[in-house]
Amino acid sequence: MSDINLFTAARAKKSLGQHFLRDERVVQRIVELLRPEEGDRIMEIGPGPGALTALLRPLPWQKLLLLEKDDHYAAEHAARPLPGLEVVAGDALAYPWEQLEGAWKIAGNLPYNVASPLMWDIVWRTPNLARAVFMVQKEVGDRLTARPGTKEYGALSVWIQSFVSTRKGFVIGPAAFSPPPKVDSAVVVFEPLPEERRPEHPEKLSRLVKLCFQQRRKQLQGILRHALPNFDAATLTSLGIAPEQRPETLTVEQFGKLAETLFS
Ligand code: SAM
């Protein structure tokens, strides 16, 4: 494994979720799933010592943006300039996704402590997400790809699948990382849904899914009656939803329609 660590890894910082990839085959599979093409704009979140970056650097992209919170690694990457390479030292949770111009492919072995809020933001705030490939905790991967009626299906599943189709690329054990995490990891691929299938008013959908999945064992009519004084159960039946249904049984499309109807 020649290029797997561009830099000598400093002591891994737990607070930044640092578990560095040490298995080059895994890194290659992530790059394959990203389907890089000539002229791409590619962002890597959390490049760290550069296992994935090492395979991205030689590709014929137009732009490669590395977003890293750890100043040590951001400086290491900045010290190896290339035309079109930009290094941003900062918190991905505070990144202005709206300002990304053009289509972007985004990849990252995400810090597990911020992965869910980060993906939540990326799918709805990035104006033109072409594709994304993220390494996450396996349990989060299960939620990202969950179907209605399963115990993994929740607010994160509905929200993410309202913007992108999701599929699991592969699952790997702790030995692929240094230091090894306590859990298995999964690589998940996001492909954007056509514009007309995405929520017209994301803020309405966000409100509804958060409300519903805080009380997933309750019936929808109970949850909505309690939260919305003017709620009428006919709103549910008009959309083909039984008032007794629990949130976890609704499809992503039903959540979308319900959000638009309830909060219009
Ligand atoms: N890509 C490297 C690899 O696969 O070996 C490192 C992956 S490590 C799991 C997560 C990386 O994200 C670390 O480099 C860490 O410093 C960085 N990171 C943690 N929190 C971050 C945040 N909020 N914004 C940007 N980068 C962050």
Side-chain angles (χ1 to χ4, degrees), residues 2-16:
S2 53
D3 253 338
I4 193 81
N5 281 320
L6 271 180
F7 321 129
T8 318
R11 181 190 285 266
K13 297 185 183 96
K14 242 186 168 173
S15 62
L16 291 176

Side-chain angles (χ1 to χ4, degrees), residues 132-136 141 144-145 166-170 186-190:
V133 179
F134 294 129
M135 167 95 72
V136 293
L144 290 169
T145 52
T166 61
R167 76 178 167 87
K168 220 176 267 173
F170 59 95
V187 171
V188 179
V189 182
F190 292 178

Side-chain angles (χ1 to χ4, degrees), residues 102-256:
W104 284 83
K105 291 180 179 168
I106 306 183
N109 169 14
L110 297 184
Y112 292 169
N113 45 349
V114 299
S116 296
L118 191 51
M119 292 183 290
W120 185 288
D121 265 6
I122 289 172
V123 292
W124 81 284
R125 290 176 46 198
T126 308
N128 194 349
L129 179 67
R131 192 175 182 81
V133 179
F134 294 129
M135 167 95 72
V136 293
Q137 233 172 297
K138 181 180 170 295
E139 181 216 332
V140 175
D142 291 342
R143 286 161 53 202
L144 290 169
T145 52
R147 300 294 169 235
T150 61
K151 69 176 189 326
E152 292 81 14
Y153 187 69
L156 186 69
S157 326
V158 175
W159 178 258
I160 298 284
Q161 292 175 32
S162 296
F163 297 88
V164 297
S165 69
T166 61
R167 76 178 167 87
K168 220 176 267 173
F170 59 95
V171 172
I172 44 164
F177 304 88
S178 172
K182 291 200 175 70
V183 292
D184 285 343
S185 304
V187 171
V188 179
V189 182
F190 292 178
E191 285 176 354
L193 293 178
E195 182 76 44
E196 64 275 12
R197 283 185 56 198
R198 283 182 252 160
E200 214 181 317
H201 302 99
E203 61 291 347
K204 294 182 183 178
L205 180 67
S206 165
R207 187 175 164 200
L208 180 65
V209 292
K210 285 178 182 165
L211 179 66
C212 285
F213 284 104
Q214 274 160 9
Q215 314 162 71
R216 60 184 290 145
R217 306 238 163 270
K218 286 198 185 162
Q219 295 183 355
L220 275 169
Q221 58 181 345
I223 297 171
L224 297 175
R225 195 164 286 136
H226 186 255
L228 311 169
N230 299 327
F231 171 71
D232 180 350
T235 312
L236 293 174
T237 46
S238 70
L239 295 172
I241 302 166
E244 301 77 27
Q245 276 184 244
R246 297 213 166 95
E248 69 206 44
T249 65
L250 261 59
T251 64
V252 170
E253 292 72 24
Q254 284 175 320
F255 268 110

Side-chain angles (χ1 to χ4, degrees), residues 16-21 44-49 51 67-70 73 90-93 109-111 114:
L16 291 176
Q18 293 184 344
H19 296 279
F20 302 128
L21 274 165
E44 184 189 353
I45 300 173
L67 174 54
E68 172 58 65
K69 190 173 177 184
D70 187 329
Y73 289 122
D91 185 348
L93 286 173
N109 169 14
L110 297 184
V114 299

